[in-house]
Amino acid sequence: MILKNNEYFIQDFKISDLAIEYGSPLYVYDGNVIEEKVRRLKNAFSEINMKIKYACKANTNISILKLMKNLGVELDVVSPQELQLGLIAGFLPDNITFTSSGVGFDEIEDSVENGVIVNIDNLPTLEKFGKKYGNSQPVLIRIRPNVEGGGNQKISTGHKDSKFGIAIEQVDQILALQQKYDLNIVGIHQHTGSDIKDGSTFVEVANVVFEFAKSFKNLKYIDLGGGFKVPYKKGDHETDMEDLGEKLSAAFKKFCEEYGKDLELWFEPGKYLVSECGILLATANVVKENPGKTLIGLNTGLNHLIRPMMYDAYHKVINVSNTSENLQKYNVVGYICETDDIAKDRSLSAASDGDIFAILNAGAYGFTMASNYNSRLKPAEVLIYKNQKYLIRERQTLQDIINKQILIDFNYET
Ligand code: LLP
């Protein structure tokens, strides 16, 4: 979003015009930002054979998936539904990885039947996989590296109390299954967490994975998951991709030398690719002067963006309708019938009923975590790419909520 002559724009489109044309609440994504993030990540790792497997749980709009595909990005999916969305978007099965976490074996079978490689995160499932497929299908192993990282307990996955992956201490049990079923283990995967602040965590965990990987002889891939930190406000910490690229590439090259083979290094970024590209536009229903606190009540809430309530996430809010520098303190709240804070104690340009607000960093885990709570409708989504605007999802209708319900007539006498 850029400010030009007191108006906010995405590329050549005025934000306020988008809100009028498509109504609010509205998700708007800037495809040029996605393109730039992909370019930066690829450049940072240009010295090695690196592949980007977009963790599409962050945003599964099919047009976003297609854009990723056009940018040469591959896909990480976590459910049969994400897998199908990937295929609909045109990804080849070869370019999709199914990263399971405690899923039913039927979902592993479904992935194999679709020609998609799987990442297995527990020993019982690995045993079932061995029994059914032997060495006829390649497989990756998801390990738990016992490294702490991630912005919040809920999104921290690599530590020793986490439910994710096979603990690295269990390497002998993996090797025993490999021997018993002649498993074709082609990759080692881990994901430490999301919003990892400290760049050195990535290097630390990579070294754990490299050491672990040496026990496996037929590897082709090392998958280090996602978790790059994006900035949520000015001056906020963000992963220094160029620095990380240099350090990790050097460590990876050294590992490949020791291993005796050039492997591919995979990442599964979600937020890094799509968080900053997205805004959620909403309208002020009411500006409410409570004693000591002024509230801006928006026509959105935790039903459309759950991150502030779920993770105490900071999302910058901007009054798009008033760009004056006359700032006042506000709490920004949603319209859901429970505590529904979006932003607290923020200095914003003076707000009036009807003003349009942009909530930033809404491209990742915004729409995909949206719900119909309070039976409210999910917003429309618009993509702006190379100065063209595309409606990529219509706003829901009440009929969408009713559609799958089975209406029963109760004819009981009372
Ligand atoms: N790979 C795996 C196996 C994952 O579980 C995740 C995220 C990613 C990659 C991508 O992580 P990212 O690059 O986006 O940090 N809903 C939460 C984030 C949950 C992330 C779950 N796994 C949030 O809104 O902060």
Side-chain angles (χ1 to χ4, degrees), residues 102-140:
V103 304
F105 194 66
D106 56 330
E107 296 192 1
I108 304 283
E109 292 171 320
D110 172 82
S111 301
V112 172
E113 278 157 25
N114 276 287
V116 165
I117 198 164
V118 294
N119 219 321
I120 291 187
D121 72 318
N122 65 77
L123 293 165
T125 302
L126 190 59
E127 173 117 42
K128 284 186 196 160
F129 188 91
K131 262 191 200 145
K132 174 141 188 184
Y133 300 112
N135 71 358
S136 70
Q137 297 294 333
V139 63
L140 286 91

mmCIF file of all heavy atoms in Angstrom, residues 102-140:
data_model
loop_
_atom_site.group_PDB
_atom_site.id
_atom_site.type_symbol
_atom_site.label_atom_id
_atom_site.label_comp_id
_atom_site.label_asym_id
_atom_site.label_seq_id
_atom_site.Cartn_x
_atom_site.Cartn_y
_atom_site.Cartn_z
ATOM 1 N N GLY A 102 -0.224 -36.395 11.945
ATOM 2 C CA GLY A 102 -1.228 -37.212 12.623
ATOM 3 C C GLY A 102 -2.484 -37.436 11.798
ATOM 4 O O GLY A 102 -3.578 -37.574 12.351
ATOM 5 N N VAL A 103 -2.354 -37.529 10.490
ATOM 6 C CA VAL A 103 -3.540 -37.730 9.649
ATOM 7 C C VAL A 103 -3.863 -39.231 9.550
ATOM 8 O O VAL A 103 -3.015 -40.080 9.837
ATOM 9 C CB VAL A 103 -3.341 -37.158 8.224
ATOM 10 C CG1 VAL A 103 -2.974 -35.682 8.283
ATOM 11 C CG2 VAL A 103 -2.292 -37.943 7.441
ATOM 12 N N GLY A 104 -5.079 -39.534 9.136
ATOM 13 C CA GLY A 104 -5.471 -40.927 8.917
ATOM 14 C C GLY A 104 -4.675 -41.519 7.758
ATOM 15 O O GLY A 104 -4.285 -40.783 6.828
ATOM 16 N N PHE A 105 -4.470 -42.848 7.796
ATOM 17 C CA PHE A 105 -3.669 -43.477 6.738
ATOM 18 C C PHE A 105 -4.351 -43.332 5.365
ATOM 19 O O PHE A 105 -3.682 -43.316 4.326
ATOM 20 C CB PHE A 105 -3.400 -44.953 7.072
ATOM 21 C CG PHE A 105 -2.332 -45.540 6.204
ATOM 22 C CD1 PHE A 105 -1.017 -45.091 6.287
ATOM 23 C CD2 PHE A 105 -2.630 -46.515 5.269
ATOM 24 C CE1 PHE A 105 -0.021 -45.594 5.461
ATOM 25 C CE2 PHE A 105 -1.640 -47.036 4.445
ATOM 26 C CZ PHE A 105 -0.334 -46.579 4.546
ATOM 27 N N ASP A 106 -5.684 -43.186 5.410
ATOM 28 C CA ASP A 106 -6.397 -42.996 4.134
ATOM 29 C C ASP A 106 -5.896 -41.751 3.397
ATOM 30 O O ASP A 106 -5.873 -41.710 2.162
ATOM 31 C CB ASP A 106 -7.920 -42.908 4.367
ATOM 32 C CG ASP A 106 -8.295 -41.811 5.349
ATOM 33 O OD1 ASP A 106 -7.490 -41.501 6.266
ATOM 34 O OD2 ASP A 106 -9.391 -41.232 5.204
ATOM 35 N N GLU A 107 -5.466 -40.740 4.148
ATOM 36 C CA GLU A 107 -4.978 -39.514 3.491
ATOM 37 C C GLU A 107 -3.588 -39.723 2.886
ATOM 38 O O GLU A 107 -3.234 -39.106 1.883
ATOM 39 C CB GLU A 107 -4.970 -38.337 4.478
ATOM 40 C CG GLU A 107 -6.387 -37.988 4.937
ATOM 41 C CD GLU A 107 -6.485 -36.661 5.675
ATOM 42 O OE1 GLU A 107 -5.476 -35.963 5.836
ATOM 43 O OE2 GLU A 107 -7.614 -36.342 6.097
ATOM 44 N N ILE A 108 -2.823 -40.616 3.513
ATOM 45 C CA ILE A 108 -1.513 -40.955 2.939
ATOM 46 C C ILE A 108 -1.758 -41.717 1.630
ATOM 47 O O ILE A 108 -1.142 -41.433 0.596
ATOM 48 C CB ILE A 108 -0.702 -41.836 3.925
ATOM 49 C CG1 ILE A 108 -0.545 -41.152 5.296
ATOM 50 C CG2 ILE A 108 0.638 -42.270 3.312
ATOM 51 C CD1 ILE A 108 0.463 -40.058 5.382
ATOM 52 N N GLU A 109 -2.698 -42.678 1.691
ATOM 53 C CA GLU A 109 -3.018 -43.463 0.481
ATOM 54 C C GLU A 109 -3.521 -42.548 -0.636
ATOM 55 O O GLU A 109 -3.138 -42.697 -1.801
ATOM 56 C CB GLU A 109 -4.081 -44.512 0.808
ATOM 57 C CG GLU A 109 -3.564 -45.603 1.726
ATOM 58 C CD GLU A 109 -4.689 -46.523 2.217
ATOM 59 O OE1 GLU A 109 -5.788 -46.019 2.518
ATOM 60 O OE2 GLU A 109 -4.455 -47.741 2.316
ATOM 61 N N ASP A 110 -4.381 -41.605 -0.249
ATOM 62 C CA ASP A 110 -4.936 -40.672 -1.231
ATOM 63 C C ASP A 110 -3.807 -39.897 -1.934
ATOM 64 O O ASP A 110 -3.837 -39.714 -3.154
ATOM 65 C CB ASP A 110 -5.892 -39.699 -0.514
ATOM 66 C CG ASP A 110 -6.379 -38.584 -1.400
ATOM 67 O OD1 ASP A 110 -7.326 -38.836 -2.161
ATOM 68 O OD2 ASP A 110 -5.808 -37.469 -1.359
ATOM 69 N N SER A 111 -2.823 -39.472 -1.144
ATOM 70 C CA SER A 111 -1.712 -38.699 -1.727
ATOM 71 C C SER A 111 -0.929 -39.569 -2.704
ATOM 72 O O SER A 111 -0.627 -39.148 -3.825
ATOM 73 C CB SER A 111 -0.757 -38.204 -0.633
ATOM 74 O OG SER A 111 -1.460 -37.408 0.278
ATOM 75 N N VAL A 112 -0.615 -40.811 -2.259
ATOM 76 C CA VAL A 112 0.160 -41.708 -3.119
ATOM 77 C C VAL A 112 -0.620 -41.974 -4.415
ATOM 78 O O VAL A 112 -0.056 -41.924 -5.517
ATOM 79 C CB VAL A 112 0.490 -43.025 -2.376
ATOM 80 C CG1 VAL A 112 1.122 -44.038 -3.330
ATOM 81 C CG2 VAL A 112 1.421 -42.755 -1.195
ATOM 82 N N GLU A 113 -1.936 -42.219 -4.255
ATOM 83 C CA GLU A 113 -2.747 -42.486 -5.463
ATOM 84 C C GLU A 113 -2.747 -41.298 -6.413
ATOM 85 O O GLU A 113 -2.861 -41.450 -7.624
ATOM 86 C CB GLU A 113 -4.193 -42.831 -5.065
ATOM 87 C CG GLU A 113 -4.323 -44.288 -4.654
ATOM 88 C CD GLU A 113 -5.528 -44.551 -3.756
ATOM 89 O OE1 GLU A 113 -6.508 -43.769 -3.831
ATOM 90 O OE2 GLU A 113 -5.462 -45.522 -2.977
ATOM 91 N N ASN A 114 -2.624 -40.085 -5.837
ATOM 92 C CA ASN A 114 -2.578 -38.894 -6.697
ATOM 93 C C ASN A 114 -1.170 -38.600 -7.208
ATOM 94 O O ASN A 114 -0.953 -37.571 -7.859
ATOM 95 C CB ASN A 114 -3.100 -37.681 -5.931
ATOM 96 C CG ASN A 114 -4.612 -37.591 -5.968
ATOM 97 O OD1 ASN A 114 -5.198 -37.256 -6.984
ATOM 98 N ND2 ASN A 114 -5.253 -37.935 -4.861
ATOM 99 N N GLY A 115 -0.212 -39.468 -6.857
ATOM 100 C CA GLY A 115 1.157 -39.268 -7.352
ATOM 101 C C GLY A 115 1.931 -38.217 -6.576
ATOM 102 O O GLY A 115 2.906 -37.659 -7.093
ATOM 103 N N VAL A 116 1.491 -37.938 -5.339
ATOM 104 C CA VAL A 116 2.119 -36.888 -4.537
ATOM 105 C C VAL A 116 2.987 -37.524 -3.454
ATOM 106 O O VAL A 116 2.561 -38.462 -2.774
ATOM 107 C CB VAL A 116 1.013 -36.000 -3.903
ATOM 108 C CG1 VAL A 116 1.561 -35.122 -2.787
ATOM 109 C CG2 VAL A 116 0.363 -35.144 -4.986
ATOM 110 N N ILE A 117 4.186 -37.013 -3.287
ATOM 111 C CA ILE A 117 5.101 -37.585 -2.294
ATOM 112 C C ILE A 117 4.661 -37.180 -0.882
ATOM 113 O O ILE A 117 4.158 -36.068 -0.686
ATOM 114 C CB ILE A 117 6.552 -37.145 -2.598
ATOM 115 C CG1 ILE A 117 7.551 -38.044 -1.878
ATOM 116 C CG2 ILE A 117 6.799 -35.707 -2.229
ATOM 117 C CD1 ILE A 117 8.964 -37.935 -2.421
ATOM 118 N N VAL A 118 4.836 -38.086 0.081
ATOM 119 C CA VAL A 118 4.375 -37.785 1.445
ATOM 120 C C VAL A 118 5.542 -37.675 2.408
ATOM 121 O O VAL A 118 6.600 -38.266 2.233
ATOM 122 C CB VAL A 118 3.382 -38.846 2.000
ATOM 123 C CG1 VAL A 118 2.086 -38.844 1.214
ATOM 124 C CG2 VAL A 118 4.002 -40.222 2.026
ATOM 125 N N ASN A 119 5.237 -36.940 3.440
ATOM 126 C CA ASN A 119 6.141 -36.643 4.522
ATOM 127 C C ASN A 119 5.519 -37.281 5.754
ATOM 128 O O ASN A 119 4.433 -36.869 6.172
ATOM 129 C CB ASN A 119 6.017 -35.121 4.671
ATOM 130 C CG ASN A 119 7.295 -34.484 4.955
ATOM 131 O OD1 ASN A 119 8.083 -35.024 5.692
ATOM 132 N ND2 ASN A 119 7.452 -33.303 4.381
ATOM 133 N N ILE A 120 6.139 -38.307 6.326
ATOM 134 C CA ILE A 120 5.478 -39.041 7.418
ATOM 135 C C ILE A 120 6.045 -38.628 8.771
ATOM 136 O O ILE A 120 7.261 -38.520 8.936
ATOM 137 C CB ILE A 120 5.559 -40.559 7.170
ATOM 138 C CG1 ILE A 120 4.660 -40.865 5.978
ATOM 139 C CG2 ILE A 120 5.147 -41.356 8.403
ATOM 140 C CD1 ILE A 120 4.464 -42.309 5.668
ATOM 141 N N ASP A 121 5.134 -38.399 9.737
ATOM 142 C CA ASP A 121 5.528 -37.762 10.996
ATOM 143 C C ASP A 121 5.417 -38.666 12.225
ATOM 144 O O ASP A 121 5.529 -38.184 13.342
ATOM 145 C CB ASP A 121 4.657 -36.519 11.230
ATOM 146 C CG ASP A 121 3.235 -36.900 11.598
ATOM 147 O OD1 ASP A 121 2.685 -37.844 10.978
ATOM 148 O OD2 ASP A 121 2.675 -36.290 12.514
ATOM 149 N N ASN A 122 5.169 -39.970 12.021
ATOM 150 C CA ASN A 122 5.115 -40.846 13.202
ATOM 151 C C ASN A 122 5.431 -42.279 12.795
ATOM 152 O O ASN A 122 5.244 -42.677 11.636
ATOM 153 C CB ASN A 122 3.749 -40.747 13.905
ATOM 154 C CG ASN A 122 2.615 -41.255 13.044
ATOM 155 O OD1 ASN A 122 2.428 -42.471 12.898
ATOM 156 N ND2 ASN A 122 1.882 -40.350 12.418
ATOM 157 N N LEU A 123 5.904 -43.056 13.783
ATOM 158 C CA LEU A 123 6.386 -44.412 13.486
ATOM 159 C C LEU A 123 5.261 -45.378 13.082
ATOM 160 O O LEU A 123 5.437 -46.147 12.125
ATOM 161 C CB LEU A 123 7.175 -44.952 14.682
ATOM 162 C CG LEU A 123 8.501 -44.204 14.952
ATOM 163 C CD1 LEU A 123 9.056 -44.535 16.339
ATOM 164 C CD2 LEU A 123 9.535 -44.534 13.874
ATOM 165 N N PRO A 124 4.093 -45.362 13.773
ATOM 166 C CA PRO A 124 3.041 -46.302 13.348
ATOM 167 C C PRO A 124 2.622 -46.097 11.880
ATOM 168 O O PRO A 124 2.406 -47.065 11.140
ATOM 169 C CB PRO A 124 1.879 -45.993 14.298
ATOM 170 C CG PRO A 124 2.529 -45.388 15.514
ATOM 171 C CD PRO A 124 3.724 -44.651 15.015
ATOM 172 N N THR A 125 2.546 -44.838 11.461
ATOM 173 C CA THR A 125 2.159 -44.574 10.064
ATOM 174 C C THR A 125 3.278 -45.016 9.123
ATOM 175 O O THR A 125 3.027 -45.557 8.035
ATOM 176 C CB THR A 125 1.817 -43.082 9.860
ATOM 177 O OG1 THR A 125 0.763 -42.759 10.755
ATOM 178 C CG2 THR A 125 1.379 -42.782 8.437
ATOM 179 N N LEU A 126 4.517 -44.825 9.553
ATOM 180 C CA LEU A 126 5.645 -45.252 8.721
ATOM 181 C C LEU A 126 5.615 -46.773 8.550
ATOM 182 O O LEU A 126 5.887 -47.310 7.466
ATOM 183 C CB LEU A 126 6.966 -44.795 9.361
ATOM 184 C CG LEU A 126 8.212 -44.962 8.499
ATOM 185 C CD1 LEU A 126 8.096 -44.176 7.188
ATOM 186 C CD2 LEU A 126 9.463 -44.507 9.261
ATOM 187 N N GLU A 127 5.226 -47.462 9.623
ATOM 188 C CA GLU A 127 5.134 -48.934 9.548
ATOM 189 C C GLU A 127 4.036 -49.335 8.549
ATOM 190 O O GLU A 127 4.245 -50.199 7.694
ATOM 191 C CB GLU A 127 4.836 -49.499 10.954
ATOM 192 C CG GLU A 127 4.554 -50.991 10.978
ATOM 193 C CD GLU A 127 5.580 -51.788 11.800
ATOM 194 O OE1 GLU A 127 5.960 -51.313 12.878
ATOM 195 O OE2 GLU A 127 5.970 -52.888 11.328
ATOM 196 N N LYS A 128 2.870 -48.666 8.670
ATOM 197 C CA LYS A 128 1.775 -48.970 7.716
ATOM 198 C C LYS A 128 2.228 -48.698 6.285
ATOM 199 O O LYS A 128 1.904 -49.442 5.355
ATOM 200 C CB LYS A 128 0.555 -48.087 8.017
ATOM 201 C CG LYS A 128 -0.231 -48.528 9.224
ATOM 202 C CD LYS A 128 -1.502 -47.680 9.354
ATOM 203 C CE LYS A 128 -2.080 -47.834 10.750
ATOM 204 N NZ LYS A 128 -2.987 -46.760 11.118
ATOM 205 N N PHE A 129 2.964 -47.600 6.122
ATOM 206 C CA PHE A 129 3.445 -47.220 4.790
ATOM 207 C C PHE A 129 4.370 -48.318 4.251
ATOM 208 O O PHE A 129 4.258 -48.737 3.093
ATOM 209 C CB PHE A 129 4.198 -45.885 4.878
ATOM 210 C CG PHE A 129 4.582 -45.304 3.554
ATOM 211 C CD1 PHE A 129 3.726 -44.430 2.893
ATOM 212 C CD2 PHE A 129 5.790 -45.622 2.948
ATOM 213 C CE1 PHE A 129 4.081 -43.876 1.655
ATOM 214 C CE2 PHE A 129 6.144 -45.084 1.712
ATOM 215 C CZ PHE A 129 5.284 -44.211 1.070
ATOM 216 N N GLY A 130 5.262 -48.799 5.130
ATOM 217 C CA GLY A 130 6.195 -49.858 4.733
ATOM 218 C C GLY A 130 5.454 -51.117 4.322
ATOM 219 O O GLY A 130 5.749 -51.728 3.281
ATOM 220 N N LYS A 131 4.476 -51.500 5.158
ATOM 221 C CA LYS A 131 3.706 -52.724 4.872
ATOM 222 C C LYS A 131 3.011 -52.624 3.525
ATOM 223 O O LYS A 131 2.989 -53.560 2.744
ATOM 224 C CB LYS A 131 2.623 -52.894 5.949
ATOM 225 C CG LYS A 131 3.030 -53.846 7.047
ATOM 226 C CD LYS A 131 1.837 -54.175 7.932
ATOM 227 C CE LYS A 131 2.392 -54.693 9.249
ATOM 228 N NZ LYS A 131 1.632 -54.324 10.403
ATOM 229 N N LYS A 132 2.413 -51.462 3.266
ATOM 230 C CA LYS A 132 1.617 -51.338 2.041
ATOM 231 C C LYS A 132 2.483 -51.104 0.799
ATOM 232 O O LYS A 132 2.228 -51.662 -0.257
ATOM 233 C CB LYS A 132 0.600 -50.206 2.189
ATOM 234 C CG LYS A 132 -0.164 -49.902 0.925
ATOM 235 C CD LYS A 132 -1.604 -49.592 1.126
ATOM 236 C CE LYS A 132 -2.298 -49.508 -0.235
ATOM 237 N NZ LYS A 132 -3.664 -49.128 -0.139
ATOM 238 N N TYR A 133 3.496 -50.259 0.941
ATOM 239 C CA TYR A 133 4.210 -49.837 -0.279
ATOM 240 C C TYR A 133 5.649 -50.357 -0.392
ATOM 241 O O TYR A 133 6.252 -50.238 -1.466
ATOM 242 C CB TYR A 133 4.231 -48.304 -0.381
ATOM 243 C CG TYR A 133 2.854 -47.681 -0.434
ATOM 244 C CD1 TYR A 133 2.380 -46.913 0.623
ATOM 245 C CD2 TYR A 133 2.028 -47.866 -1.544
ATOM 246 C CE1 TYR A 133 1.114 -46.332 0.577
ATOM 247 C CE2 TYR A 133 0.758 -47.293 -1.600
ATOM 248 C CZ TYR A 133 0.307 -46.530 -0.531
ATOM 249 O OH TYR A 133 -0.933 -45.970 -0.578
ATOM 250 N N GLY A 134 6.200 -50.882 0.714
ATOM 251 C CA GLY A 134 7.597 -51.341 0.653
ATOM 252 C C GLY A 134 8.487 -50.242 0.103
ATOM 253 O O GLY A 134 8.425 -49.101 0.571
ATOM 254 N N ASN A 135 9.281 -50.587 -0.912
ATOM 255 C CA ASN A 135 10.150 -49.535 -1.481
ATOM 256 C C ASN A 135 9.599 -48.995 -2.796
ATOM 257 O O ASN A 135 10.288 -48.337 -3.551
ATOM 258 C CB ASN A 135 11.586 -50.055 -1.659
ATOM 259 C CG ASN A 135 11.664 -51.058 -2.786
ATOM 260 O OD1 ASN A 135 10.638 -51.384 -3.404
ATOM 261 N ND2 ASN A 135 12.858 -51.545 -3.064
ATOM 262 N N SER A 136 8.301 -49.289 -3.056
ATOM 263 C CA SER A 136 7.753 -48.889 -4.359
ATOM 264 C C SER A 136 7.438 -47.387 -4.408
ATOM 265 O O SER A 136 7.241 -46.839 -5.492
ATOM 266 C CB SER A 136 6.476 -49.686 -4.669
ATOM 267 O OG SER A 136 5.439 -49.262 -3.804
ATOM 268 N N GLN A 137 7.358 -46.729 -3.232
ATOM 269 C CA GLN A 137 7.047 -45.298 -3.214
ATOM 270 C C GLN A 137 8.087 -44.580 -2.376
ATOM 271 O O GLN A 137 8.401 -45.018 -1.273
ATOM 272 C CB GLN A 137 5.670 -45.055 -2.550
ATOM 273 C CG GLN A 137 4.506 -45.669 -3.276
ATOM 274 C CD GLN A 137 4.277 -45.032 -4.633
ATOM 275 O OE1 GLN A 137 4.626 -43.862 -4.853
ATOM 276 N NE2 GLN A 137 3.716 -45.790 -5.546
ATOM 277 N N PRO A 138 8.591 -43.453 -2.870
ATOM 278 C CA PRO A 138 9.524 -42.677 -2.047
ATOM 279 C C PRO A 138 8.797 -42.025 -0.877
ATOM 280 O O PRO A 138 7.586 -41.816 -0.941
ATOM 281 C CB PRO A 138 10.033 -41.608 -3.017
ATOM 282 C CG PRO A 138 8.942 -41.474 -4.028
ATOM 283 C CD PRO A 138 8.294 -42.821 -4.155
ATOM 284 N N VAL A 139 9.531 -41.718 0.165
ATOM 285 C CA VAL A 139 8.895 -41.098 1.327
ATOM 286 C C VAL A 139 9.889 -40.155 2.015
ATOM 287 O O VAL A 139 11.102 -40.386 1.967
ATOM 288 C CB VAL A 139 8.373 -42.191 2.300
ATOM 289 C CG1 VAL A 139 9.499 -43.040 2.878
ATOM 290 C CG2 VAL A 139 7.549 -41.598 3.439
ATOM 291 N N LEU A 140 9.345 -39.088 2.608
ATOM 292 C CA LEU A 140 10.172 -38.216 3.446
ATOM 293 C C LEU A 140 9.787 -38.449 4.902
ATOM 294 O O LEU A 140 8.643 -38.821 5.195
ATOM 295 C CB LEU A 140 9.936 -36.734 3.137
ATOM 296 C CG LEU A 140 10.516 -36.161 1.842
ATOM 297 C CD1 LEU A 140 9.508 -36.269 0.718
ATOM 298 C CD2 LEU A 140 10.891 -34.693 2.030
#
